[in-house]
């Protein structure tokens, strides 16, 4: 049985749980689980994108709340058991980061959360710690409504990558 057949064959509750690993919005995961069966993998991605476009600020904040802070690799497996291994892979750019960059990310994360009320979110795959820090600093000047939309866009990218992992991992 391939992974698409597996996803299509799960119970509603089990499908929701698997999809929540990809995106922490319950509304999105429920809609995705109910959209099954999918005819092919591109249909999964298309539906995921369309359903995400139907969500709003509260859904985005819920999804963002399911992510660890960038650089907080110690907390990944502890708090985010369902998606911790994926988060750790996505934050590979933290490996080899200098102490000053790690500290600047920690400080920047706190400032960001104080300003916007949610965790800084970036699709970290392929980005170094220094690049993530640069993005964090650039985004600090955004108006709150714009920043939330940017974070929602980052979530969409992360969701796509995680769906790919869900449908291809053994």
């Amino acid at each position: 049985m391939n992974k698409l057949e597996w996803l299509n064959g799960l119970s509603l509750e089990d499908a929701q749980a698997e999809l929540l690993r990809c995106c922490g919005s319950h509304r999105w995961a429920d809609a995705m689980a109910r959209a099954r069966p999918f005819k092919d993998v591109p249909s999964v991605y298309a539906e995921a994108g369309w359903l995400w476009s139907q969500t709003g600020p509260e859904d985005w904040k819920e999804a963002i709340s399911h992510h660890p802070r960038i650089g907080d690799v110690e907390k990944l497996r502890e708090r985010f058991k369902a998606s911790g291994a994926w988060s750790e892979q996505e934050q590979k750019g933290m490996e080899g980061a200098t102490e000053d960059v790690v500290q600047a990310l920690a400080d920047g994360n706190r400032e960001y959360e104080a300003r916007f009320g949610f965790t800084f979110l970036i699709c970290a795959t392929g980005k170094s710690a220094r690049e993530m820090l640069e993005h964090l600093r650039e985004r600090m000047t955004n108006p709150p409504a714009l920043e939330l939309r940017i974070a929602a866009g980052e979530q969409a990218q992360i969701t796509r990558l995680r769906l790919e992992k869900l449908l291809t991992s053994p």
Side-chain angles (χ1 to χ4, degrees), residues 32-88:
M32 280 292 289
R34 292 178 189 283
R36 296 169 310 136
F38 297 107
K39 69 177 182 166
D40 54 29
V41 171
S43 298
V44 175
Y45 302 146
E47 188 71 9
W50 185 82
L51 288 171
W52 186 246
S53 75
Q54 304 305 301
T55 62
E58 292 309 310
D59 304 299
W60 305 340
K61 288 178 183 177
E62 179 186 22
I64 292 167
S65 76
H66 283 82
H67 290 273
R69 287 182 182 129
I70 293 293
D72 194 358
V73 291
E74 292 81 29
K75 299 282 182 186
L76 292 175
R77 287 204 176 104
E78 178 185 320
R79 180 169 171 220
F80 300 92
K81 289 182 176 83
S83 61
W86 288 348
S87 292
E88 187 172 9

Side-chain angles (χ1 to χ4, degrees), residues 1 3-12 14-15 36-37:
M1 172 185 309
K3 294 296 277 202
L4 180 63
E5 291 170 344
W6 165 79
L7 179 62
N8 283 336
L10 292 174
S11 70
L12 179 65
D14 288 344
R36 296 169 310 136

Side-chain angles (χ1 to χ4, degrees), residues 104-115:
L105 273 167
D107 295 342
N109 276 316
R110 281 191 298 278
E111 292 170 25
Y112 182 97
E113 289 173 25
R115 173 160 164 66

Side-chain angles (χ1 to χ4, degrees), residues 2-164:
N2 69 37
K3 294 296 277 202
L4 180 63
E5 291 170 344
W6 165 79
L7 179 62
N8 283 336
L10 292 174
S11 70
L12 179 65
E13 295 79 20
D14 288 344
Q16 289 167 332
E18 290 296 328
L19 291 161
L20 278 169
R21 294 175 60 206
C22 300
C23 175
S25 163
H26 281 81
R27 180 176 168 203
W28 178 87
D30 180 61
M32 280 292 289
R34 292 178 189 283
R36 296 169 310 136
F38 297 107
K39 69 177 182 166
D40 54 29
V41 171
S43 298
V44 175
Y45 302 146
E47 188 71 9
W50 185 82
L51 288 171
W52 186 246
S53 75
Q54 304 305 301
T55 62
E58 292 309 310
D59 304 299
W60 305 340
K61 288 178 183 177
E62 179 186 22
I64 292 167
S65 76
H66 283 82
H67 290 273
R69 287 182 182 129
I70 293 293
D72 194 358
V73 291
E74 292 81 29
K75 299 282 182 186
L76 292 175
R77 287 204 176 104
E78 178 185 320
R79 180 169 171 220
F80 300 92
K81 289 182 176 83
S83 61
W86 288 348
S87 292
E88 187 172 9
Q89 290 171 345
E90 292 158 5
Q91 291 194 35
K92 281 280 190 207
M94 290 301 299
E95 290 179 2
T98 61
E99 185 58 37
D100 63 317
V101 170
V102 172
Q103 186 61 54
L105 273 167
D107 295 342
N109 276 316
R110 281 191 298 278
E111 292 170 25
Y112 182 97
E113 289 173 25
R115 173 160 164 66
F116 298 111
F118 54 89
T119 303
F120 172 69
L121 186 64
I122 188 167
C123 184
T125 301
K127 291 180 180 69
S128 70
R130 188 163 298 284
E131 287 174 295
M132 289 183 272
L133 178 59
E134 288 171 13
H135 285 281
L136 187 152
R137 287 176 172 161
E138 289 169 7
R139 288 171 49 188
M140 282 294 290
T141 62
N142 289 335
L146 173 60
E147 182 54 30
L148 183 55
R149 286 196 172 281
I150 291 170
E154 296 290 327
Q155 176 62 58
Q157 292 176 48
I158 294 165
T159 299
R160 169 63 188 249
L161 290 171
R162 289 182 175 187
L163 281 169
E164 290 172 5

